[in-house]
Amino acid sequence: MLPATRSLLPAFLMRFIVLGSGSGGNAAVVEAGGIRLLVDAGLSAKQLVDRMKASGVDPASLHGVLLTHEHGDHVRGLRVLMKALPAPVYATPSTARIVRDSGVDTASWKIFESGAGFQLNGLSVQSFAVPHDAVEPVGFVFRHEERSFGLLSDTGHVTKLILDRLRGVSALFVEANYDDALLEADMKRPWSTKQRISSRHGHLSNAQTAALIAELAPSGLRRVVLGHLSRDCNCPVTAAATVRASFAEIEVCCAEQDKTCGWWD
Ligand SMILES: [Zn+2]
Ligand SMILES: [Zn+2]
């Protein structure tokens, strides 16, 4: 039995908020159909709770925590957060195993196979596999009535499967990790790290993300939040400009590391 969401959100609306995004930690909240989900918990538990409360989200009202993958910037706050939360954690089998072995204890694990979907009240959650250097990473599409929202975080390249799954979403959170020229010019990172970031199992560049958005735009994509921007190898102005250059009629904003981006309905 799912607890009722203590929220004024009308059941017909879908909305989401990025609590923070970047290599320092990632987390977002998605709400629709009376269901409220935290996606990833990569900020500290205190930051997660503080930012949820500041956004009008009582952590106790969460119906679950969904994990994209096990990297620290996506699960850092989970162990402490779950000590106080009765909500289940949703993860693929391998991701759940690694996160559980790292000491995360929760009242219940909800395991889903990569590529599988599940239903929470009226909210449908569809997962899809993504290429990234984690054990079993996934992205998600959330659907409620005619509304849909895609979430694609750490991904090395855009596969046909990703395109197929995201086609038709009206809003999208997608990583735009680095600008090719800024990554190339970066002096802080050793060559091997740059290779890992730009590899087919690393992260998406602004240009790769812009190409994905241009592909999805004709099938109804109208609003995009860019996330996981590298502090050193990207900047919001460059990332947004690259996306707009490939498809002008799209509403674009960039999620930030140190504060929430505000609710998107
Ligand atoms: Zn990752
Ligand atoms: Zn990440």
Side-chain angles (χ1 to χ4, degrees):
M1 184 70 174
L2 296 164
T5 297
R6 273 163 268 159
S7 159
L8 297 177
L9 181 70
F12 59 88
L13 275 183
M14 176 181 275
R15 66 176 185 168
F16 73 100
I17 185 167
V18 180
L19 299 176
S21 185
S23 56
N26 296 274
V29 174
V30 180
E31 282 186 22
I35 295 294
R36 179 177 269 168
L37 298 169
L38 179 67
V39 184
D40 286 339
L43 303 167
S44 72
K46 181 178 182 328
Q47 282 174 326
L48 288 167
V49 169
D50 287 351
R51 293 187 196 185
M52 278 192 270
K53 285 184 176 169
S55 311
V57 174
D58 176 0
S61 69
L62 290 171
H63 296 99
V65 182
L66 265 65
L67 299 182
T68 58
H69 65 299
E70 77 281 11
H71 285 165
D73 58 319
H74 296 261
V75 300
R76 187 169 294 118
L78 192 62
R79 192 180 61 80
V80 174
L81 185 72
M82 296 320 291
K83 286 183 180 174
L85 281 193
V89 177
Y90 292 79
T92 57
S94 298
T95 301
R97 177 174 43 78
I98 288 198
V99 173
R100 192 191 293 130
D101 289 351
S102 75
V104 172
D105 193 18
T106 173
S108 94
W109 288 91
K110 302 275 187 188
I111 308 298
F112 62 87
E113 296 297 330
S114 175
F118 48 92
Q119 199 79 21
L120 295 165
N121 283 0
L123 177 64
S124 130
V125 182
Q126 174 73 50
S127 72
F128 54 90
V130 302
H132 184 58
D133 53 4
V135 286
E136 207 174 6
V138 290
F140 297 106
V141 173
F142 302 89
R143 286 198 175 78
H144 178 251
E145 296 179 353
E146 76 276 20
R147 289 170 179 80
S148 55
F149 166 58
L151 188 143
L152 177 65
S153 195
D154 308 31
T155 300
H157 65 282
V158 175
T159 62
K160 183 175 178 304
L161 175 76
I162 291 174
L163 270 176
D164 286 348
R165 288 289 181 266
L166 291 179
R167 211 178 295 284
V169 298
S170 48
L172 177 67
F173 170 91
V174 59
E175 85 161 342
N177 184 252
Y178 64 94
D179 174 75
D180 288 297
L182 292 174
L183 180 67
E184 177 78 36
D186 180 63
M187 304 295 280
K188 283 191 195 166
R189 290 164 177 76
W191 180 82
S192 56
T193 304
K194 292 186 189 186
Q195 281 292 105
R196 187 233 141 203
I197 291 168
S198 61
S199 77
R200 287 173 67 78
H201 287 78
H203 292 273
L204 291 180
S205 69
N206 293 341
Q208 286 173 302
T209 299
L212 167 66
I213 290 166
E215 280 270 353
L216 296 175
S219 38
L221 179 63
R222 289 295 169 265
R223 312 182 86 185
V224 175
V225 178
L226 303 176
H228 219 305
L229 271 70
S230 164
R231 275 189 206 271
D232 299 321
C233 303
N234 208 352
C235 87
V237 173
T238 305
T242 307
V243 167
R244 286 198 194 97
S246 78
F247 196 83
E249 298 94 69
I250 208 121
E251 194 179 337
V252 184
C253 76
C254 292
E256 297 182 54
Q257 183 71 83
D258 301 322
K259 58 178 184 177
T260 71
C261 69
W263 285 101
W264 276 48
D265 292 327

